[in-house]
Amino acid sequence: MKAIELKNVSFTYSGFNTKVLNNIDFHVDYGEVALLSGFSGEGKSTLISIISGIIPNIISGVISGEVLIDGKSIKGKKMSQVCHKVGIVLQNADNQIIHKIVEDEIAFGCENFAIPADKISKQIDRVCTIVELDKKAGTHALSGGEKQRLITASALATGQKILVLDEPLANLDVISANLLMDTMQALAKAGYAVLVVEHRLDMVLPFVDTVWNICSGKVEKVENKQEYLRSQAIKINDTSINCKQNKKIIQVNQLAFSIKNKQILKDISFDIYDGERLLLLGENGSGKTTILRLLSRLNKPTGGNIQQMINPKLKNNYHGKKWFKDIGIVYQNPNYQLFMPTVEKEVAFNAISMEYANEIIKMFGLEHIKNRHPQSLSEGQKRRVSIAAVVAGAPKVLFLDEPTVGQDYNGLCELVSILNELHNKSGNTMITITHDMRCAEALCDRAILIENGVIKNQGDKSFVKKYFSDKII
């Protein structure tokens, strides 16, 4: 039986003339895991918004055709009615988390569905075991990948038999990604319908039954999964000039960091050199983002110290505009950084000149959307804009937290090439966090592995390759 079915559906956003979806036919059956793939900006998020009732209840536009959920039309139904059938896990986990404690967050949806209290408690224990989360943990202290698992757990707990996951692997390490997809397979065998929207095809294809590709407003079924993967094979030429490590710019000494009674980092020491590309590796929750925030002075350490030689005049003060002229930070969630009314103004806001802003807009392939509001873009496009806006300020040190999230294969290659081109031209220092095995080697000269809040190991590109190879199941 079909859980989701779209018949001859077209959609155009209010204020625009171009159809995002054009007379598409699409379906997902109970008992299967289906993949929806395609380039950024082709309409994947739009299709999900239609399935979930976000369109037209929250986002307006002109829609035609028939949308069936569990065999029944959702035309005229409120979003709350649709959500009783469809559980949605969106790309931006932070926007979906309300409560401070994991178990309270999971219970919230169950309570809205009027599930009895005794059953809610059992559901919380069940789903926390499935996604490997501590139900007593604080949500604010979770890593990006752990937050992704939390909102997935919240959807599972409410008992909807139709699950839609938008880029669920984006912030997950390899082990967590396999854990999540194993869970989705098991749910499908138990009678669920699972739709996954994902760019990391090499990670997700082994777990899916059906593949759909969206392009130019059309959706077509893919008959040969392996041929589809080969057709989008990544070839990244790493032309970056390796750092000789002859000038130290940051020295980390016995660094420690705790939140309340939870120790996140302990006794970490390493150096960063001018012009190098340093990669931070580790599983979700290991402390990578915390290190990045401490290095960039968004947080203060609770033990040890960080000495900076980027700008000796600033010594080691923890605030000031002059510091952030030398430092550029790209957050894991691009929505935190996008606040101007157009893409052009976003990139120009911190740019060293309007001429350079226009050069960056062209380099990042943003000319066709420069007059769009950044928040109206797909997550992959938002990511590009957020990076472009930061590098337009020509920072000496660039911190990148999961920079390739939401990028299709072509977009990934282009983005890595751009970052390395800018690195070569400017001689900047790049510190990157990524779980994306497709590009990790091409974004580093040296890598440090963080495990349980300490440095477990470190090495060069060969170390990175081995790290990901060992993780593949």
Side-chain angles (χ1 to χ4, degrees), residues 190-209:
Y192 284 69
V194 181
L195 173 61
V196 178
V197 176
E198 183 59 58
H199 286 304
R200 294 172 70 180
L201 299 186
D202 50 342
M203 296 288 292
V204 74
L205 280 176
F207 297 93
V208 303
D209 303 298

Side-chain angles (χ1 to χ4, degrees), residues 341-439:
T342 67
V343 168
E344 184 176 40
K345 290 182 179 179
E346 190 76 56
V347 178
F349 180 80
N350 191 48
I352 56 176
S353 70
M354 193 63 218
E355 181 181 3
Y356 191 57
N358 289 328
E359 182 182 332
I360 292 296
I361 286 171
K362 184 177 181 180
M363 179 181 287
F364 277 79
L366 304 173
E367 291 172 299
H368 67 295
I369 56 172
K370 69 178 184 179
N371 295 320
R372 292 268 303 274
H373 194 293
Q375 296 294 350
S376 73
L377 304 176
S378 71
E379 292 301 312
Q381 291 169 326
K382 286 179 185 178
R383 170 59 74 203
R384 282 200 168 212
V385 173
S386 67
I387 297 174
V390 171
V391 300
K396 292 179 182 177
V397 180
L398 180 60
F399 294 96
L400 300 163
D401 196 350
E402 300 290 354
T404 61
V405 168
Q407 301 303 309
D408 57 61
Y409 271 37
N410 287 346
L412 178 74
C413 292
E414 291 173 4
L415 184 56
V416 171
S417 178
I418 291 166
L419 288 171
N420 282 333
E421 181 182 348
L422 287 168
H423 171 74
N424 284 336
K425 286 181 177 179
S426 67
N428 68 5
T429 303
M430 292 200 316
I431 296 97
T432 304
I433 295 171
T434 187
H435 290 299
D436 198 333
M437 69 176 72
R438 301 172 299 171
C439 64

Side-chain angles (χ1 to χ4, degrees), residues 36-54:
L36 177 64
S37 180
F39 295 150
S40 297
E42 289 288 351
K44 299 185 298 296
S45 294
T46 299
L47 193 150
I48 288 176
S49 294
I50 290 172
I51 292 169
S52 64
I54 293 173

Side-chain angles (χ1 to χ4, degrees), residues 248-250 270-274 276 278 295 429 431 446:
K248 190 186 301 181
I249 61 169
I250 297 177
F270 64 95
D271 299 324
I272 300 175
Y273 298 90
D274 187 28
E276 79 166 326
L278 178 65
L295 290 173
T429 303
I431 296 97
R446 183 168 64 102

Side-chain angles (χ1 to χ4, degrees), residues 50-107:
I50 290 172
I51 292 169
S52 64
I54 293 173
I55 293 174
N57 287 295
I58 296 176
I59 300 174
S60 61
V62 179
I63 186 170
S64 62
E66 192 173 11
V67 181
L68 304 174
I69 299 297
D70 195 34
K72 297 178 182 178
S73 173
I74 62 172
K75 185 176 182 179
K77 289 189 177 181
K78 295 179 180 179
M79 187 176 166
S80 58
Q81 293 174 294
V82 179
C83 286
H84 271 274
K85 291 287 185 181
V86 183
I88 303 289
V89 179
L90 299 176
Q91 292 181 33
N92 188 349
D94 288 296
N95 285 353
Q96 294 181 263
I97 296 173
I98 300 170
H99 292 277
K100 295 181 180 180
I101 305 298
V102 165
E103 65 178 341
D104 292 339
E105 181 64 33
I106 297 171

Side-chain angles (χ1 to χ4, degrees), residues 10-14 16 19 21 50 55-56 59-64:
S10 296
F11 180 75
T12 305
Y13 284 100
S14 294
F16 295 88
K19 289 182 179 180
L21 301 177
I50 290 172
I55 293 174
I59 300 174
S60 61
V62 179
I63 186 170
S64 62

Side-chain angles (χ1 to χ4, degrees), residues 57-292:
N57 287 295
I58 296 176
I59 300 174
S60 61
V62 179
I63 186 170
S64 62
E66 192 173 11
V67 181
L68 304 174
I69 299 297
D70 195 34
K72 297 178 182 178
S73 173
I74 62 172
K75 185 176 182 179
K77 289 189 177 181
K78 295 179 180 179
M79 187 176 166
S80 58
Q81 293 174 294
V82 179
C83 286
H84 271 274
K85 291 287 185 181
V86 183
I88 303 289
V89 179
L90 299 176
Q91 292 181 33
N92 188 349
D94 288 296
N95 285 353
Q96 294 181 263
I97 296 173
I98 300 170
H99 292 277
K100 295 181 180 180
I101 305 298
V102 165
E103 65 178 341
D104 292 339
E105 181 64 33
I106 297 171
F108 179 72
C110 297
E111 290 165 353
N112 284 329
F113 277 40
I115 297 173
D118 59 335
K119 189 174 180 181
I120 291 176
S121 180
K122 292 178 181 178
Q123 286 289 77
I124 291 171
D125 290 338
R126 182 179 71 87
V127 298
C128 282
T129 299
I130 289 172
V131 301
E132 296 186 357
L133 282 178
D134 177 4
K135 68 179 181 180
K136 298 295 183 181
T139 57
H140 68 286
L142 299 178
S143 69
E146 288 170 327
K147 288 177 181 178
Q148 191 74 33
R149 279 152 45 193
L150 172 56
I151 58 175
T152 302
S154 298
L156 289 174
T158 50
Q160 297 106 317
K161 290 291 186 178
I162 303 171
L163 297 177
V164 180
L165 296 87
D166 192 3
E167 295 280 353
L169 309 185
N171 296 312
L172 297 185
D173 56 61
V174 177
I175 291 176
S176 296
N178 279 289
L179 169 67
L180 179 62
M181 292 310 301
D182 271 334
T183 302
M184 294 303 107
Q185 270 193 329
L187 289 170
K189 289 178 181 177
Y192 284 69
V194 181
L195 173 61
V196 178
V197 176
E198 183 59 58
H199 286 304
R200 294 172 70 180
L201 299 186
D202 50 342
M203 296 288 292
V204 74
L205 280 176
F207 297 93
V208 303
D209 303 298
T210 307
V211 180
W212 298 82
N213 181 64
I214 185 168
C215 182
S216 302
K218 297 287 187 181
V219 178
E220 295 183 350
K221 195 171 185 178
V222 175
E223 299 299 335
N224 189 320
K225 291 193 294 184
Q226 293 307 314
E227 182 60 34
Y228 183 60
L229 177 61
R230 284 192 292 270
S231 72
Q232 299 192 46
I234 280 185
K235 294 180 180 179
I236 297 177
N237 295 319
D238 180 10
T239 57
S240 183
I241 302 169
N242 289 341
C243 168
K244 295 180 181 179
Q245 296 190 0
N246 56 0
K247 181 183 177 184
K248 190 186 301 181
I249 61 169
I250 297 177
Q251 182 174 313
V252 180
N253 304 303
Q254 296 179 310
L255 188 67
F257 186 77
S258 300
I259 296 179
K260 294 183 178 179
N261 296 322
K262 182 178 180 181
Q263 187 169 37
I264 298 173
L265 301 174
K266 48 191 173 184
D267 195 24
I268 285 184
S269 299
F270 64 95
D271 299 324
I272 300 175
Y273 298 90
D274 187 28
E276 79 166 326
R277 298 172 304 159
L278 178 65
L279 189 68
L280 299 180
L281 296 172
E283 295 180 16
N284 296 128
S286 60
K288 304 183 301 300
T289 295
T290 300
I291 290 175
L292 187 148

